Amino acid sequence: MRAVLLAAIASIGLVGCVGELDTTGGGGGGGGGGGGITDPTDPDSTMARMLYETNVYPTMVAKCIACHSAAGPVSNLSGFVTPTIDKAWETAVNYQSFVGSFTADTAPVLLKIAAGHQTVTYSSDEINKITDWLNAEVLWRNGAGSGSGSGSGSSGGETPAAATMRVLSQWSGCMTKTNFDAANMAQAWGNMTANNNQRCSNCHASGDGGFIATVDSQLFFDVVSSNKYFMLQYFTVKLDLMNLANSKIEINTKSFLGVSQGPDPHREHPRFNATTNNGMNALNEFYTTTMAAVTAAGTAGCGPSKLTN
């Protein structure tokens, strides 16, 4: 039964066109996007935004908007392409089903292209432009500035993408059900309510929108510890681009802030206090105990990664 439930999660949220990105690549409608709040006035974001608007957005309009238009129905979980360019970048980067953690080797947009998504083909030039844009996002979002390089620098030959997967795998291996339950994660998130008194679990108990919040503790833990896209809604990788060995997991506060305030693509989501609530209290406790395990284990790790993707 557990396997059936986990398999079902992978297909939740498929609306409209069959070409949509499913929540195995992280949905955008429920728990926040890859970058959370994106400030279009931040000068360091200039290069990343320009590369998307100039080099990537035209390709997305030509090849993706038929199924992924932001002008689609409210329940559209993968409307990452806006009909006009004014909010194109802000919308795209807030869909985790599109950007993931922004590293070129792990971003769903490139993984889908490589897999021949809907038999749509992309030229090497189009793929290179998407990759250059993602590299600029990694630089900006990790404090290096958008114009300082390609984002492929490494420590000991490790790439940012490899460092991201290493840190996520180590974190997964150190997550335990004992610490998860001690932090009261399932009850805190499953019973958390928005300003309209709607519980998180009313919409997200089965992983709808790429975000899971359920009182079923075993299902909750299994999903966030084994599926990196669901994990990334709660935790994010902070890359140290000067020394990738020092990269680490942080709580993804930007994800929750972005959803709680209702910017695109979360304008229909009920508002809620994203900083002071039982869910964040539980998440902070779970983060603290898991980080203690990561620190104690060192490079040896706590055990095998539970990640399945």
Side-chain angles (χ1 to χ4, degrees):
M1 177 61 71
R2 182 72 54 192
V4 172
L5 287 171
L6 291 175
I9 287 174
S11 62
I12 287 172
L14 298 179
V15 294
C17 181
V18 296
E20 290 185 336
L21 294 172
D22 59 37
T23 54
T24 57
I37 296 175
T38 297
D39 182 2
T41 66
D42 184 341
D44 284 339
S45 70
T46 301
M47 179 61 73
R49 179 170 188 153
M50 183 274 290
L51 288 174
Y52 180 78
E53 290 181 346
T54 303
N55 295 342
V56 179
Y57 177 68
T59 299
M60 298 299 104
V61 171
K63 300 189 175 185
C64 304
I65 198 169
C67 294
H68 299 290
S69 175
V74 168
S75 60
N76 182 8
L77 300 181
S78 58
F80 55 83
V81 187
T82 58
T84 58
I85 201 169
D86 55 329
K87 290 187 176 294
W89 176 67
E90 293 99 314
T91 299
V93 297
N94 276 296
Y95 269 98
Q96 195 154 358
S97 59
F98 185 58
V99 298
S101 58
F102 292 100
T103 55
D105 290 352
T106 57
V109 57
L110 287 179
L111 296 178
K112 289 285 185 177
I113 289 173
H117 182 59
Q118 293 298 300
T119 69
V120 178
T121 59
Y122 294 75
S123 69
S124 58
D125 180 62
E126 289 170 330
I127 293 172
N128 288 338
K129 287 177 177 177
I130 295 171
T131 302
D132 288 344
W133 160 61
L134 289 169
N135 286 336
E137 294 283 355
V138 169
L139 285 171
W140 168 49
R141 293 168 190 278
N142 289 279
S146 294
S148 60
S150 66
S152 58
S154 64
S155 174
E158 189 177 36
T159 65
T164 297
M165 284 308 303
R166 171 178 56 79
V167 173
L168 288 174
S169 296
Q170 183 184 34
W171 188 257
S172 170
C174 288
M175 294 171 76
T176 68
K177 179 68 162 42
T178 298
N179 288 339
F180 187 85
D181 288 340
N184 201 34
M185 282 286 289
Q187 291 299 317
W189 283 101
N191 290 316
M192 182 175 154
T193 59
N195 294 347
N196 64 355
N197 293 321
Q198 183 174 342
R199 292 199 309 168
C200 293
S201 57
N202 286 359
C203 294
H204 300 293
S206 298
D208 300 56
F211 180 78
I212 186 165
T214 174
V215 295
D216 184 336
S217 178
Q218 188 66 58
L219 176 61
F220 196 169
F221 176 77
D222 287 347
V223 172
V224 297
S225 64
S226 66
N227 188 311
K228 66 172 177 279
Y229 297 109
F230 285 89
M231 182 190 294
L232 284 167
Q233 300 286 13
Y234 287 94
F235 305 105
T236 187
V237 178
K238 179 62 177 177
L239 290 170
D240 183 341
L241 294 176
M242 299 303 294
N243 185 357
L244 288 170
N246 292 333
S247 301
K248 64 179 182 178
I249 293 287
E250 294 181 345
I251 293 175
N252 195 354
T253 54
K254 288 184 178 180
S255 172
F256 297 108
L257 284 169
V259 177
S260 71
Q261 296 171 11
D264 289 334
H266 310 295
R267 60 188 180 276
E268 300 297 333
H269 194 283
R271 305 299 186 262
F272 64 96
N273 185 327
T275 58
T276 306
N277 57 66
N278 290 336
M280 292 305 295
N281 292 340
L283 184 59
N284 274 285
E285 182 177 342
F286 183 47
Y287 173 83
T288 298
T289 54
T290 305
M291 181 57 77
V294 169
T295 302
T299 56
C302 301
S305 171
K306 303 176 187 68
L307 291 177
T308 58
N309 58 1

